[in-house]
Amino acid sequence: MTTLELKSLSVNIGSRRVLDNLSFTISKGEIVGLVGASGSGKSMTARALCGLLPNHAKPSGTLILNGETNALDDIKAFADKRGRDIGLIFQDPAGAFNPLMSIGDHVAEALVRRDGFTWPHAREKARATLDRAGFPKSIPAFDRYPHEVSGGQRQRAMIAAALVQAPKILIADEPTTALDVTTENAILKLLKQCASEDGLGILLISHDLPALARIADRLLLMKDGRLIESSQLPLTEADAPELARLFELSHKAPAPSPSHEHPTLLQTKAVSKRHNNRSGFLSGSRATIHAVKNVSLSIGEGEIIALVGESGSGKSSLARILAGLDRASHGDVMWASGKGRVQMVFQDPAGSLNPRWTIGRSIGEPLSLPADHPQVKEAARDAGLDPALLTRCPHQISGGQAQRAAIARAISARPDLLILDEPVSALDFEIRDQILSLLERLRAMHGIAMMFITHDVSAARRLSDRMIVLDKGEIVESGLTADVFSAPHHAVTKALLAAASPSIKEGRERS
Amino acid sequence: MSSALHKKIVSGGFLLIIVYAVLAAAMPLMESFYQIRIDLRLMPISNAHWLGTDQFGRDTLAMVIGGCFASLSVAAMAVIIGAGIGIPLGLMASSQENFASRSILSLNDFIFAFPALVTAILIHNIFGSGIVTAGLAIGLFNIPVFARTLYGAARPLWTKDFIKAARLAGKSNIAIAAVHILPLVSSVAFAQISMQMGLGILAEAGLSYVGLGVVPPMPSWGRMLNEAQTLIVIAPRLAIIPGLAIAASVFLFTWMGDKLSDYADPKRREGHDHDHA
């Protein structure tokens, strides 16, 4: 049974057509995955469905919801109905909450405001919905404020706030992008449960194709504001060649690692990093947090090591210590050559370049070279960046190009060790593939040792010789990447591998 | 507001400030007009005296124009002292969290907590009256204002990845502050300079009003107000005219500061909401 049918939705902003003739349906209990590169119009589609388009946008088309036809250009007439029947959850639950209102009251609020419930009655229903959304019973939701719970719990509360009004359709715009893999899986499972048990139709927007493939019934692919492919899962190459190609990109087979004997470049001996957190100004109690705990590892010359773990596992703290940006509380970092040069590439390409500097000036910084120096141009070319872009500023180039610039800056200094901190997790899968290929090539060209920090084990598999799994600051597993993949020992490793190894060809997991 | 219109308004403001500076520079030319001439006292508005004269027979228009000099020079000196010391301190405190940065911030709070007028009286008692004393007294209280503002603007920048990259490139904190941080916070600094100019003019008027400002015969708007208060019933214009001069110039500078800080915020400057398609 079709719950929602969208007919030829178009949106114009000024003279630009941002969405062009979009039509699709969502059935009762169906999960429809919407994929596309950033800027392809995914979020704009979600906003059009909820009536949240920016003021200057002009929508057209019709939306048939529960058998009722509504013209999309008349936003006001439709607003109330839409709010009730279509629920919406966002990528960043923190931004969607009022910091001065308890979690529970957020969920109860709509019942009071819209349905005329009394507060006690609304809170009772809110508690039940929070339970349904898997918000831990042990947390007193009406006494806790958004900043006092974790990101995953906030996202559950957000889902509860959407579910409490019993919508027919739920639109989830990148609901798990800000979460780590394990939490992501739990949230996706919850969404799936909502679809199969409550008959909720879900439009799930994501750039994470493998995650979508695990839970969606159908995939839609957008490009430049148009719907270019639509396919039931499991998908076949004949049906959806582009989707199949993108999926292959996200799971490319590992590069054969060249040699296995690497002379040691760097060793750490029982490195620890402690933070003392005082809980309040007057309370004397201190909590000691071990960001990194007794980590001993060695990195060989020209070797690529993947440092894998969930967020908060201490990966970045360890990287800062190796880079010399932070000092270890205990233990030593020893370079075979006495002192090593380290360069880093960061997760957010936009934040890693000075917004006012030209790209060329940023690349020339480590060697104190002027922006138009031939060596700067050479570094740019090495990183696959058109030297014509060197005179531009960061906001004038794309995220992928900015990441190439950051890589060019790092390699121009000819470092002994290049630390890559989640270098591809903010990028679309197509750009991600290009950057990973670039890193493979750079290793082949220059033989730079790399430490590749990621929670994306498929990228780790593709690039690394050895893999180190970190949990709560400690190394829980390490070994040759191929071995770790074929026979993981530790529970954390297994969870990380399980979270990232679906197969689109097998379709959704039947649980 | 469109950015073209915004630009016009800001350049209009700059033009007014230049006019103001020209008037201040014209003070020596005015000197002959504000000589004491008891025979001409309390003349009404006329062709010879466009804004009349005061109880000593001095031309009010000449006094107002002459007053620009005291206002502008005291405020400028205060800003130079405040910005010259406060900006480096703020940047230094923002660069890392250690004993030195905490000391700088605590010292700031200490100065903030001190009553400004009492300090001005103290400085007046030690050094006597005059432009330099007034500028020094006001400038001292500008230091924590600049330090705080720059600290607040620079602090979040230090955690950016491009700063880490600069550290890895071997740059020292001072070099990073000079080439990365300062250019990025310069618009904030300019906005604050303009605001403090306005407040400095107000403070100079206040000090001169209580007799701690510039020394006669140099004209000052604050002292004009003081001298007018006994005549408020007979000749209210003697209080109203310098009052308007103070209000207009304070408004001009603080308003410019506000527009400049709009300019500092790229989201407000470009005037479009950041939609993700």
Side-chain angles (χ1 to χ4, degrees):
Chain A
M1 197 185 83
T2 302
T3 311
L4 175 147
E5 184 175 0
L6 182 67
K7 278 187 178 166
S8 56
L9 163 69
S10 296
V11 173
N12 284 329
I13 294 182
S15 59
R16 205 160 56 94
R17 176 154 270 212
V18 289
L19 291 182
D20 191 14
N21 212 3
L22 245 62
S23 302
F24 58 83
T25 62
I26 302 174
S27 303
K28 194 163 188 271
E30 189 187 28
I31 299 182
V32 176
L34 183 60
V35 218
S38 57
S40 61
K42 304 189 298 281
S43 293
M44 197 57 88
T45 308
R47 295 173 79 166
L49 288 175
C50 307
L52 292 175
L53 286 172
N55 285 333
H56 45 281
K58 301 261 177 298
S60 66
T62 47
L63 177 66
I64 304 173
L65 191 60
N66 282 332
E68 271 181 70
T69 307
N70 304 276
L72 279 166
D73 47 2
D74 190 0
I75 290 174
K76 283 208 181 68
F78 185 32
D80 185 58
K81 222 179 308 168
R82 189 145 36 183
R84 197 181 294 265
D85 289 338
I86 301 182
L88 177 67
I89 59 178
F90 310 99
Q91 171 176 351
D92 173 22
F97 281 114
N98 174 349
L100 297 177
M101 207 170 171
S102 75
I103 294 279
D105 284 349
H106 271 106
V107 181
E109 189 188 19
L111 293 174
V112 176
R113 302 249 179 277
R114 197 193 274 268
D115 300 333
F117 278 55
T118 58
W119 273 106
H121 188 190
R123 289 203 171 118
E124 206 174 294
K125 192 167 173 199
R127 183 69 255 189
T129 315
L130 281 165
D131 286 348
R132 173 82 184 78
F135 192 81
K137 282 202 174 73
S138 55
I139 298 180
F142 294 96
D143 292 333
R144 284 284 195 280
Y145 290 86
H147 69 276
E148 296 178 306
V149 301
S150 73
Q153 286 161 355
R154 267 201 297 268
Q155 198 56 283
R156 286 182 190 276
M158 180 101 195
I159 292 172
L163 290 182
V164 77
Q165 300 226 64
K168 308 285 187 299
I169 295 285
L170 182 69
I171 296 176
D173 190 357
E174 304 265 5
T176 57
T177 308
L179 306 174
D180 63 58
V181 205
T182 319
T183 320
E184 174 183 23
N185 271 355
I187 295 287
L188 292 178
K189 211 163 167 185
L190 168 65
L191 288 177
K192 195 170 152 193
Q193 210 179 337
C194 292
S196 57
E197 290 174 14
D198 305 343
L200 191 63
I202 299 181
L203 181 67
L204 184 56
I205 298 171
S206 179
H207 70 271
D208 186 355
L209 194 53
L212 275 182
R214 280 204 300 285
I215 75 156
D217 300 284
R218 203 145 53 84
L219 285 182
L220 306 175
L221 175 66
M222 285 189 74
K223 194 178 179 188
D224 303 331
R226 274 194 296 274
L227 208 55
I228 57 167
E229 266 176 26
S230 162
S231 170
Q232 290 288 339
L233 284 173
L235 56 82
T236 54
E237 201 147 342
D239 265 1
E242 185 66 12
L243 276 166
R245 186 181 73 83
L246 292 172
F247 191 78
E248 285 311 314
L249 283 184
S250 64
H251 280 271
K252 208 173 252 184
S257 60
S259 64
H260 285 289
E261 282 310 306
H262 304 278
T264 306
L265 172 74
L266 158 81
Q267 258 189 327
T268 73
K269 246 191 197 161
V271 163
S272 295
K273 179 73 191 171
R274 267 200 326 250
H275 295 291
N276 289 325
N277 270 19
R278 213 158 36 162
S279 49
F281 179 61
L282 291 174
S283 79
S285 68
R286 277 160 184 265
T288 303
I289 295 168
H290 268 97
V292 179
K293 213 163 155 187
N294 263 334
V295 167
S296 301
L297 53 81
S298 71
I299 301 173
E301 275 172 30
E303 194 180 27
I304 300 189
I305 296 210
L307 189 59
V308 188
E310 287 172 20
S311 57
S313 60
K315 303 182 302 250
S316 295
S317 300
L318 182 57
R320 290 174 59 85
I321 292 170
L322 293 182
L325 290 172
D326 206 349
R327 221 169 289 158
S329 316
H330 285 288
D332 295 307
V333 177
M334 288 166 305
W335 291 88
S337 58
K339 188 172 162 22
R341 285 163 308 170
V342 182
Q343 286 291 319
M344 274 182 90
V345 173
F346 304 92
Q347 174 172 1
D348 173 23
S352 63
L353 301 169
N354 185 330
R356 300 270 180 89
W357 283 20
T358 62
I359 303 304
R361 187 169 175 202
S362 281
I363 294 177
E365 187 178 27
L367 294 179
S368 311
L369 295 174
D372 52 0
H373 196 275
Q375 235 172 301
V376 171
K377 281 186 186 149
E378 192 198 316
R381 261 193 294 269
D382 271 3
L385 188 70
D386 182 356
L389 298 177
L390 291 177
T391 54
R392 303 225 188 140
C393 283
H395 69 273
Q396 295 166 314
I397 62 174
S398 71
Q401 287 165 340
Q403 199 62 304
R404 285 179 191 274
I407 292 172
R409 170 177 60 192
I411 53 168
S412 74
R414 295 270 174 273
D416 300 308
L417 175 66
L418 178 60
I419 298 179
L420 304 136
D421 192 353
E422 303 272 9
V424 293
S425 58
L427 303 173
D428 297 325
F429 30 85
E430 196 144 19
I431 311 290
R432 171 183 175 274
D433 176 61
Q434 293 169 7
I435 297 288
L436 290 177
S437 303
L438 168 66
L439 293 172
E440 281 169 351
R441 212 178 43 166
L442 286 175
R443 189 261 280 273
M445 267 164 61
H446 299 298
I448 303 173
M450 298 186 198
M451 176 165 246
F452 182 60
I453 299 172
T454 185
H455 65 261
D456 173 0
V457 287
S458 66
R461 177 185 205 175
R462 177 164 160 195
L463 211 59
S464 68
D465 306 316
R466 255 185 328 129
M467 198 158 125
I468 294 174
V469 184
L470 218 56
D471 184 47
K472 299 191 183 81
E474 283 181 285
I475 294 181
V476 294
E477 183 153 359
S478 76
L480 293 176
T481 303
D483 295 349
V484 173
F485 262 82
S486 56
H489 291 294
H490 197 274
V492 172
T493 319
K494 285 178 188 161
L496 282 165
L497 295 185
S501 54
S503 165
I504 208 164
K505 300 268 156 93
E506 290 159 20
R508 54 192 289 197
E509 71 187 53
R510 317 247 166 226
S511 57
Chain B
M1 197 189 298
S2 80
S3 94
L5 182 62
H6 200 138
K7 238 179 201 160
K8 266 183 202 157
I9 291 176
V10 170
S11 30
F14 270 121
L15 206 68
L16 284 175
I17 288 175
I18 290 170
V19 169
Y20 186 25
V22 169
L23 289 180
M27 188 193 64
L29 301 177
M30 294 293 139
E31 216 162 339
S32 57
F33 296 99
Y34 55 75
Q35 297 302 324
I36 292 181
R37 294 274 305 272
I38 298 297
D39 54 323
L40 291 177
R41 73 179 196 273
L42 291 176
M43 297 286 281
I45 292 172
S46 67
N47 268 344
H49 304 283
W50 291 359
L51 295 177
T53 62
D54 66 3
Q55 67 267 43
F56 302 110
R58 294 173 296 189
D59 184 273
T60 307
L61 180 61
M63 293 279 283
V64 167
I65 293 175
C68 289
F69 178 77
S71 288
L72 198 65
S73 51
V74 168
M77 198 178 134
V79 163
I80 289 168
I81 293 173
I85 302 175
I87 290 176
L89 280 183
L91 290 183
M92 223 159 91
S94 71
S95 69
Q96 50 193 316
E97 205 171 302
N98 57 16
F99 180 73
S101 70
R102 276 192 296 272
S103 313
I104 290 171
L105 295 174
S106 309
L107 195 67
N108 269 342
D109 295 342
F110 178 75
I111 298 180
F112 269 132
F114 229 69
L117 192 64
V118 174
T119 316
I121 292 172
L122 183 77
I123 294 178
H124 168 78
N125 284 342
I126 299 171
F127 299 105
S129 297
I131 284 190
V132 177
T133 316
L136 209 65
I138 302 167
L140 182 66
F141 288 91
N142 273 345
I143 296 173
V145 175
F146 279 100
R148 267 284 169 200
T149 313
L150 269 288
Y151 172 81
R155 189 76 196 112
L157 293 176
W158 284 97
T159 60
K160 297 268 184 210
D161 287 338
F162 66 83
I163 300 298
K164 287 182 207 155
R167 286 227 163 97
L168 291 172
K171 285 206 162 86
S172 67
N173 274 342
I174 292 173
I176 291 174
V179 302
H180 282 288
I181 306 283
L182 191 58
L184 288 172
V185 297
S186 62
S187 44
V188 176
F190 282 124
Q192 195 64 39
I193 283 172
S194 189
M195 298 260 186
Q196 293 310 116
M197 280 299 292
L199 294 177
I201 289 170
L202 194 62
E204 187 276 329
L207 288 181
S208 295
Y209 178 81
V210 297
L212 300 174
V214 299
V215 192
M218 186 186 279
S220 152
W221 296 339
R223 210 176 47 252
M224 286 171 77
L225 278 179
N226 180 319
E227 290 165 353
Q229 62 188 345
T230 51
L231 300 167
I232 191 89
V233 182
I234 307 166
R237 66 183 161 81
L238 291 182
I240 291 170
I241 291 164
L244 283 177
I246 295 169
S249 43
V250 171
F251 174 78
L252 173 65
F253 279 104
T254 44
W255 175 82
M256 272 298 284
D258 192 44
K259 290 291 156 220
L260 286 174
S261 63
D262 278 8
Y263 218 69
D265 181 352
K267 267 182 254 158
R268 278 162 80 186
R269 178 180 53 204
E270 284 163 25
H272 63 77
D273 47 4
H274 287 244
D275 300 322
H276 300 285

